[in-house]
Each structure stands twice: as C-alpha cells, then as structure tokens.
Amino acid sequence: MSAETPAATGQFTRRRRQFRDWRGTRPFWAGLLVLLGGFPIMYFPYAHLKFGALTLAMSTTAGAGSLIIGILLVVLGVSLWFQQHIRTFAGIAAILLALVSIPVSNFGGFVIGFLLSLIGGAMAVSWAPGQPQPVSETASDEPNDLSGTSPANGANGRHSAG
C-alpha cells in the first residue's frame, strides 16, 4: 500500500480541519505563548549553561519562586486551551506573573519568558469568541455597487452637492 493513498490524505485533511476548527473556538495562540513563556522562567534558575570551558550557573535563592511562577504559567496556558471561559482571569494572572518574574526569576527568564507571557496574557484578555457569519439565502438581482457611479441610481459618476 502506498503512503499516498486517498484514504490517508483524506484523514489527514479531516484531522487538520478539526484542529483548525478547535483552535478557532479558543484563545489558542495566547495559551501557547503563555505556556512557552513559563519554560524559560522555570528553567534558567536551575540551568548550568556551558560556553566552551566556561560554566555559567544561575542558581539563586529564588529558584523555588521561579519554579512556582513557571509551573503556574504552564497551567494557565493549558487552561486557556481547554477552559476558554476563564480567559480574562488567566490573562490577567499571566500578566501579573510575568511582571513578578522580573525581580524573582533572573529578569523573567532573561526577558524571553517575560515577553512571551506578557504578550500571551494580553492576547488572552483581548480575545473574544467569534460569531458565525449569517449566510444570505436570497440573492438579489441588483448589483451591490456603492461607488455612486452606477447608471441605475442616476448619478453616472456625478456627485450631488446636497
């Protein structure tokens, strides 16, 4: 059986459309940014970065605070995906945790985690569920020309002064 069978292509297309529909009903990108912002905040205080023979250890007394902030941001990001009705609370909490991470967690995960969480939180607060477009079932015979130059309205390119 070939890898390019119509059944495999149809199933992939169907799954992709299902994911796109699922993603469109929730603040997906806001949740992803908040989730990704939590990782550098909780990683860098425990990391030992190596630059050749030089080892840079960022172990501080605020490691526990960084871990808590990072885990909370990851949980808020996942909750934005699966419980979109708490988007305002989760967005404001993500913004506040991002601001708290600046003094607690090595400048918010070297500003990477801070910016991702801050932007994701702002996107979560501003997200609103979409409403489906009404479909017009009756098509009118008149052209929808609003330029004012249609011979049907008698203007013929002339604009009236009153």
Side-chain angles (χ1 to χ4, degrees):
M1 183 178 252
S2 173
E4 296 183 21
T5 60
T9 304
Q11 184 177 8
F12 175 75
T13 303
R14 185 173 52 86
R15 295 283 184 198
R16 185 177 52 85
R17 286 184 182 157
Q18 284 176 345
F19 177 69
R20 186 177 58 195
D21 293 340
W22 176 82
R23 190 184 66 198
T25 60
R26 59 202 73 241
F28 177 78
W29 296 109
L32 183 67
L33 288 177
V34 171
L35 177 89
L36 292 176
F39 288 117
I41 290 173
M42 68 178 157
Y43 172 74
F44 286 127
Y46 295 103
H48 296 289
L49 304 173
K50 293 190 181 236
F51 299 109
L54 179 67
T55 301
L56 178 65
M58 295 300 297
S59 300
T60 62
T61 58
S66 300
L67 185 64
I68 290 171
I69 290 172
I71 288 173
L72 285 174
L73 285 171
V74 169
V75 168
L76 286 172
V78 171
S79 68
L80 280 169
W81 286 347
F82 296 107
Q83 296 180 356
Q84 62 269 21
H85 59 277
I86 64 163
R87 70 183 188 280
T88 305
F89 167 75
I92 290 173
I95 291 170
L96 291 175
L97 285 171
L99 291 172
V100 168
S101 74
I102 292 175
V104 170
S105 175
N106 298 328
F107 296 109
F110 296 123
V111 185
I112 298 167
F114 165 71
L115 286 177
L116 288 173
S117 300
L118 192 69
I119 292 170
M123 287 172 65
V125 170
S126 65
W127 183 82
Q131 298 170 352
Q133 295 285 337
V135 178
S136 175
E137 294 186 19
T138 58
S140 62
D141 293 334
E142 297 179 20
N144 192 9
D145 184 17
L146 301 176
S147 65
T149 60
S150 173
N153 62 9
N156 288 336
R158 298 182 311 262
H159 296 283
S160 61

